[in-house]
Amino acid sequence: MAQEMRDWSELQHDLLVLIGRRFNLIEDYLNFGTVCKSWHSAATKNNFNSELPRVPWLMLPEEEEEDKSDSCCRKFFSLYNGMILKKRILKASGKRCMECMGWLITVGKDEGEASLLHPCSVRITTEDFYEHETGYPFTFFRKAVLSASPSYTSDFVLMVIEGGMRFLIDYSGRVLFCDVAGPEPTKRSHIIAQLPFDCRDRLGHPYIVESLGSLFIVVRHGVQICKVKDDCDRMRIPLTYIVSENQEELRDGEELRYGTESFRVFKVDLAAAGKVTETRELGERAFFLGANASLSVQASQFPGIKPNHVYFTDDFFESYAAFVEGGGLDMGVFNLADGSIQMHYEGVSLSRVCPPTWVTPTLC
């Protein structure tokens, strides 16, 4: 007799929960929940190990939608399996998005109003906004960082770097520390380390990364606009430069382009008075750098992620704002061992407001 086929949708709920809790990758867990109605009911936030580290998704810029009711949807690219996911994000249309712990801090393009999204919206105000001159209100917030995820606690601090000339690593290469629990967290900062060069001289773009309890400073070179020849393969498609009155004339075969050339990584020893040592070896770690997110993951835990590599997005507004198409081309994967750069996303996705950016996938 032919063996009777089992209806997988009739598996007991408790068994489905046990199966769901064995998934480590959120992409697999989301696929698990799409099998059928009963499996979807078991694929809840509480049944997934949300404490594990995550490889961020690449959130692509919004696209022109024929169906206007679909205008709030954004696409996400997964490095793990190359899958494109589509998610509806209310009140993010036409806004710059910065990410922290799976939440989005959005800034309006024209009015500069900021909101904290995922899954609710909280309006953020600032006293200094109208006291600073800027032609781009949505760039007034340089970075925004949460001390804890609002998904799990209401006891969190949101720290925002405001204005065009404020950094946690300044142009002289000093690494600054702010005590958010102190009496004057926004007015006092302390120097904890000094890079061995001046960022202004080397035209570097620095990032702070925490990895397994250690502090790293990563300096990115090559993001500024420069003249290149036609045979230079720093960009895959031509960009339309917004001509200014004081622009110098280009010679035959020259174009104005920008693109990352290299990264330098420095480890900060806080126990040794902030001693800084350059390194080209991250072991099994991979760094993800972008407009707001700077994080580290253990590559061995995630298929397809390369150890000792830096994954980066196009985040230097001062360069890509000079082109009609905006930013999105200066993305890739930098090999710290040999200095080579490869692509992590083969498509072209451009925007002057919110180019592709890393977003840590979380369940709500």
Side-chain angles (χ1 to χ4, degrees), residues 335-360:
N335 187 330
L336 272 173
D338 61 20
S340 62
I341 296 179
Q342 297 178 332
M343 300 306 300
H344 54 64
Y345 177 70
E346 296 296 336
V348 175
S349 190
L350 305 175
S351 172
R352 295 193 76 220
V353 178
C354 187
T357 187
W358 301 120
V359 173
T360 305

Side-chain angles (χ1 to χ4, degrees), residues 36-171:
C36 61
K37 187 176 181 179
S38 62
W39 289 37
H40 178 74
S41 66
T44 64
K45 174 183 175 181
N46 293 333
N47 293 333
F48 184 66
N49 188 355
S50 300
E51 300 302 321
L52 293 175
R54 306 283 167 217
V55 172
W57 290 344
L58 185 67
M59 186 176 76
L60 305 179
E62 58 185 324
E63 302 174 349
E64 291 291 335
E65 299 284 354
E66 295 182 2
D67 182 4
K68 296 302 181 182
S69 64
D70 206 27
S71 60
C72 293
C73 288
R74 299 292 282 266
K75 291 181 178 179
F76 297 81
F77 174 70
S78 170
L79 295 173
Y80 160 56
N81 54 17
M83 181 173 62
I84 296 288
L85 304 97
K86 199 171 184 179
K87 186 173 182 180
R88 185 176 177 84
I89 306 179
L90 297 176
K91 300 182 180 180
S93 179
K95 297 182 179 181
R96 177 185 171 214
C97 297
M98 299 176 285
E99 187 271 350
C100 186
M101 299 185 182
W103 284 66
L104 294 177
I105 298 92
T106 66
V107 187
K109 178 180 178 182
D110 299 320
E111 76 288 350
E113 177 182 318
S115 298
L116 183 61
L117 304 177
H118 180 43
C120 60
S121 176
V122 180
R123 184 172 179 176
I124 306 169
T125 60
T126 172
E127 296 178 358
D128 294 335
F129 176 77
Y130 295 103
E131 297 178 6
H132 291 76
E133 295 183 1
T134 173
Y136 304 97
F138 62 96
T139 66
F140 181 71
F141 293 152
R142 303 295 292 191
K143 283 185 179 293
V145 180
L146 290 164
S147 63
S149 172
S151 297
Y152 301 101
T153 179
S154 59
D155 184 16
F156 64 88
V157 175
L158 174 63
M159 184 173 181
V160 177
I161 301 179
E162 298 177 334
M165 299 302 294
R166 299 181 181 180
F167 309 91
L168 288 177
I169 304 177
D170 63 18
Y171 277 128

